[in-house]
Amino acid sequence: MKNQVFKKIILVLTVFSLISCSKDDDVPVQDPGVTLIEKQGEWLCELQQTCEDIYQFRFLEDSKISISIEDVTGMSVVSIDLSSDFGQFGGPNLLNQGNLTYYGCTLQNEEISIANISISETGIYNLSVARDWGFSAGFDGTYNLVITSDTPFTEEAVVIQNVEAINYERECL
């Protein structure tokens, strides 16, 4: 009797271990994405430098996204750029009707909020959050970035922080 019970236990354990091992174990799990991301950022710019933090996100075609830069400190003036990743930063800005300028309509420590930005194709997009040297006071400041979307999206890369904004120009449309 003890031998039969022992055999049944071994059989049950074997079946459970076979069930838990599947051929799909090596398939990488894909991130389903989120519809809201909140990040804290900070700038520490060099003397006479407009610096920026660059984020990368993967958005889906026909998505509607909103971007807000909130709780700006350090007497900072914010400008932003959202462009497709063409292998370089600074492509046509989706926030300024495809111009190469940054979108910036604020004074010191004012927030930026843009809603209903249409994403025309699935891909990786660069979001640059710049601190305008000419209008800001001092070298540093902080902000909160909030992005929402009506479809899931993912963050793609590590944030590039405090790099000089090359060919920087801002425009308010």
Side-chain angles (χ1 to χ4, degrees), residues 2-71:
K2 287 183 181 180
N3 197 16
Q4 288 179 337
V5 170
F6 181 71
K7 286 181 181 179
K8 287 182 181 179
I9 291 173
I10 295 296
L11 180 63
V12 168
L13 290 175
T14 303
V15 168
F16 278 124
S17 68
L18 290 175
I19 291 172
S20 66
C21 295
S22 71
K23 293 179 182 178
D24 294 335
D25 285 348
D26 296 333
V27 176
V29 176
Q30 291 194 355
D31 185 352
V34 296
T35 56
L36 169 72
I37 285 184
E38 296 183 53
K39 302 188 90 43
Q40 292 183 334
E42 65 180 328
W43 303 284
L44 182 56
C45 302
E46 298 293 325
L47 180 66
Q48 296 183 344
Q49 178 189 73
T50 294
C51 69
E52 64 187 347
D53 294 341
I54 303 170
Y55 302 85
Q56 286 190 327
F57 301 99
R58 181 178 221 15
F59 295 115
L60 300 176
E61 181 178 0
D62 296 327
S63 295
K64 295 283 188 201
I65 67 168
S66 296
I67 301 171
S68 294
I69 310 297
E70 304 171 344
D71 303 324

Side-chain angles (χ1 to χ4, degrees), residues 113-129:
S113 186
I114 304 173
N116 293 318
I117 302 161
S118 296
I119 301 298
S120 61
E121 61 185 74
T122 297
I124 296 174
Y125 291 79
N126 299 315
L127 174 64
S128 300
V129 181

Side-chain angles (χ1 to χ4, degrees), residues 43 50-53 65-70 72 76-83 90-107 110-117 126-133 135-136 145 165-173:
W43 303 284
T50 294
C51 69
E52 64 187 347
D53 294 341
I65 67 168
S66 296
I67 301 171
S68 294
I69 310 297
E70 304 171 344
V72 180
S76 302
V77 174
V78 180
S79 296
I80 56 177
D81 180 274
L82 179 67
S83 59
N93 188 349
L94 299 176
L95 308 176
N96 271 359
Q97 302 168 349
N99 294 333
L100 295 178
T101 56
Y102 287 65
Y103 176 82
C105 294
T106 66
L107 299 174
E110 285 187 349
E111 300 178 348
I112 290 180
S113 186
I114 304 173
N116 293 318
I117 302 161
N126 299 315
L127 174 64
S128 300
V129 181
R131 183 177 189 273
D132 189 301
W133 175 264
F135 293 104
S136 300
L145 167 64
I166 305 298
N167 298 322
Y168 175 81
E169 238 183 275
R170 80 181 209 145
E171 182 176 17
C172 180
L173 295 176

